[in-house]
Structure formats: C-alpha cells, structure tokens
Amino acid sequence: MTESLRENIKNSKRIVIKIGTSTIMYPNGAINLQQMEKLSFVLSDLKNQGKEIILVSSGAIGVGLARMNLTERPVTIPEQQAIASIGQTELMSLYSKFFYHYGHQVGQVLLTKDVTDFPVSRENTVNTFEQLLIKHVVPIVNENDTVSVEELDHLTRFGDNDTLSAIVLELTDADLLVMLSDIDGFYDKNPTKYSDARRFDTISEITDDILELAQDSTSRFGTGGMITKLNAAQIVMEARKQMVLASGYDLSILFNILSGEHVGTLFTSHEENMKERSEYDANVN
C-alpha cells in the first residue's frame, strides 16, 4: 500500500512547498544565496513540467536581521515587525530576481489568520491564488508579520509557517504539501542525539504516541519545531491530502519526492490508506 501511496505523489498537479528559515540562511545569520537560487531553479523546472507551484517561505526576520547587520532578534514586537518588513522586501527582491532568471514571474501573498477565517476575505484570497496560478505566476506566501498580532479577542497570527502552509494547501485545494526542513523526516527519537534513531517512512494517523515522540524546538531565526509540523500534517490529513516532510539541504530532493521515491516521511490520512486497501482487496478478489 505504501508503494501505491508514493506512486500517487507522481500525479500531484498543484503543490505547496514550504521552506524553513534554516534552509535559506547560513548558521552565521547570512543569506544563503546559493540555496535561494537552487530553489528557484528547481521550482521553475517543476513549473516547466506542468506543475502548479505555491511557495511558502519563511525567513523574513532572518533576512531582515542580515540586511540590517544585526546578530540578535529584537525583543519587542514593534522592532520585530519592522525587521520583518525590511526582510520581506529583500526576500521578495531576491526571489523575483532568481525566478526571473529562469523565466518565471512571482507574486507576493501576505496573510493573517483573520483574513482566512472571515468568509468574504477567505473567498477573495482563494480567488487571488487562482488568478495567479492561471497566469502561471508562482505565489510566494508568508505571514504578514508586520501587522499580525495575538491578543485576547484579536487573533491574527498563524503562529508559524508550518501551520500556514497547511492552511494554504486547504485554501488552494492543492494535492500535496512538501515541507522542507533541517531534518530529513520524522523519527522515533531525536536523530541528532541517538545514532539508532529510525525514520518513519509513512504515518497515517497522528496518535498520542506520535505526539510524544515529537520534541518542540526553536531556532535562532525561525519559530516552530516538530510539534508544529505534526499539527500541519494533521490539517493536511483531515483534508485527505498528502504531506512529505524531508530535508531541505539538497533542494533537488524535490525531484526525488515527486518521482515517488521513498525519501522523507509521508503523512497520509487513514481514510486514504483504507481506500487503497479496499481497492487492492477488490482487485485481488
């Protein structure tokens, strides 16, 4: 059944790609231009194959810090939002330049949670995505950090781009979410600490045991950890779609994933597994 589920990935037409901050930033805080260009090349080639690509890119604050020659993330919210504003401009400028080099246009989509929760705004957001894709533009999505807040009855933050990428999949009715991170899948224990850690090839249900295996973490420039990735996977699976968690170290891994190879961890709903099994049993009998 797992083989068949991986084969299904080949047929994915509309794909959301989520890139973490660590993928496009060096550990020293500088922008990894080589990775950004490689990402633009790979996604452009996928578009040339006829795929519809939506990129959810973290990194606004990290890029903003680099642009302003700062080494530490600001403490206050207004300072963080100012840095995010600077970084978002630089981030889009770089993406625009790299994608243009490979023959493709990008469009910026900044979202806040209230926009996707309010029906009219949600419909307009969906329409915007559709028009961008119809015009063969690559939507580049990020949370609107410059205005998003989280206060009592005024919640506008998604909180992390892992969750945002899953919501974007829902909004656009995409077939697949590929989440590229600094880890190459979901393990039964922390692979940076334990040499005998085993990677899960496929997860069909987010159980309490699976949640207990996840260790939440934060990095210097980004937010989130394995818990947020599991939360995103839950959203994807409830939508009866698929998600692959894999390493963003070598971005050509996207070609391997979309070829159905067993890289990373595939999250796919229990219902889909049951459907696959029913079809298999029917064919056998």
Side-chain angles (χ1 to χ4, degrees):
M1 297 303 101
T2 301
E3 189 65 38
S4 180
L5 290 169
R6 289 279 184 170
E7 284 290 313
N8 286 343
I9 291 177
K10 293 181 180 180
N11 300 322
S12 298
K13 169 72 173 178
R14 182 172 293 183
I15 305 158
V16 177
I17 312 289
K18 188 268 175 176
I19 293 291
T21 303
S22 60
T23 300
I24 60 172
M25 301 291 297
Y26 287 111
N28 65 4
I31 304 169
N32 191 332
L33 297 174
Q34 180 176 235
Q35 280 285 76
M36 291 192 71
E37 180 169 19
K38 179 67 175 292
L39 176 64
S40 303
F41 162 75
V42 171
L43 297 188
S44 293
D45 194 66
L46 291 175
K47 277 192 62 62
N48 290 346
Q49 295 175 28
K51 306 291 187 183
E52 294 179 335
I53 300 297
I54 301 167
L55 174 62
V56 178
S57 177
S58 300
I61 289 182
V63 172
L65 292 173
R67 189 70 178 84
M68 298 299 290
N69 296 314
L70 298 175
T71 57
E72 297 294 333
R73 187 186 182 108
V75 175
T76 69
I77 291 177
E79 286 180 300
Q80 290 179 16
Q81 291 178 322
I83 291 297
S85 175
I86 295 165
Q88 192 62 43
T89 301
E90 182 72 8
L91 197 63
M92 285 304 300
S93 176
L94 290 169
Y95 276 131
S96 181
K97 182 181 300 182
F98 288 136
F99 273 97
Y100 182 79
H101 177 72
Y102 294 110
H104 293 285
Q105 178 65 46
V106 301
Q108 184 180 50
V109 181
L110 295 177
L111 297 176
T112 52
K113 194 174 188 300
D114 56 336
V115 169
T116 60
D117 287 345
F118 187 60
V120 175
S121 298
R122 183 184 180 93
E123 182 180 356
N124 288 334
T125 301
V126 170
N127 292 339
T128 298
F129 274 115
E130 288 298 327
Q131 283 302 309
L132 287 171
L133 294 171
I134 287 171
K135 297 179 187 302
H136 304 290
V137 173
V138 178
I140 298 183
V141 188
N142 200 353
E143 182 164 7
N144 194 348
D145 292 322
T146 61
V147 299
S148 60
V149 294
E150 189 172 346
E151 300 173 348
L152 297 178
D153 60 344
H154 189 55
L155 177 62
T156 64
R157 294 189 69 236
F158 292 100
D160 61 88
N161 275 352
D162 294 336
T163 301
L164 175 59
S165 63
I167 291 173
V168 168
L169 174 138
E170 275 191 314
L171 287 170
T172 60
D173 194 27
D175 304 305
L176 174 71
L177 168 59
V178 179
M179 192 173 292
L180 298 181
S181 182
D182 53 3
I183 190 168
D184 63 344
F186 186 78
Y187 283 78
D188 62 351
K189 61 183 73 173
N190 191 334
T192 63
K193 294 181 179 179
Y194 303 98
S195 59
D196 62 340
R198 294 184 298 110
R199 177 175 59 84
F200 287 84
D201 181 80
T202 304
I203 293 177
S204 60
E205 186 179 5
I206 307 298
T207 63
D208 290 340
D209 290 339
I210 291 292
L211 289 171
E212 286 180 10
L213 293 176
Q215 295 183 358
D216 205 16
S217 62
T218 58
S219 69
R220 181 180 171 199
F221 300 105
T223 59
M226 195 53 69
I227 291 292
T228 65
K229 289 168 178 54
L230 290 182
N231 290 340
Q234 186 67 55
I235 294 171
V236 171
M237 291 160 69
E238 287 176 356
R240 298 189 178 183
K241 306 290 186 174
Q242 293 182 310
M243 171 181 135
V244 174
L245 172 63
S247 170
Y249 177 75
D250 181 359
L251 293 167
S252 62
I253 196 173
L254 286 165
F255 295 129
N256 303 104
I257 292 170
L258 293 172
S259 295
E261 295 182 23
H262 286 255
V263 294
T265 298
L266 171 65
F267 294 85
T268 186
S269 69
H270 180 69
E271 290 82 359
E272 287 301 313
N273 274 303
M274 292 301 293
K275 179 182 176 182
E276 290 285 340
R277 184 171 296 279
S278 297
E279 291 176 351
Y280 174 79
D281 290 343
N283 290 332
V284 170
N285 296 328

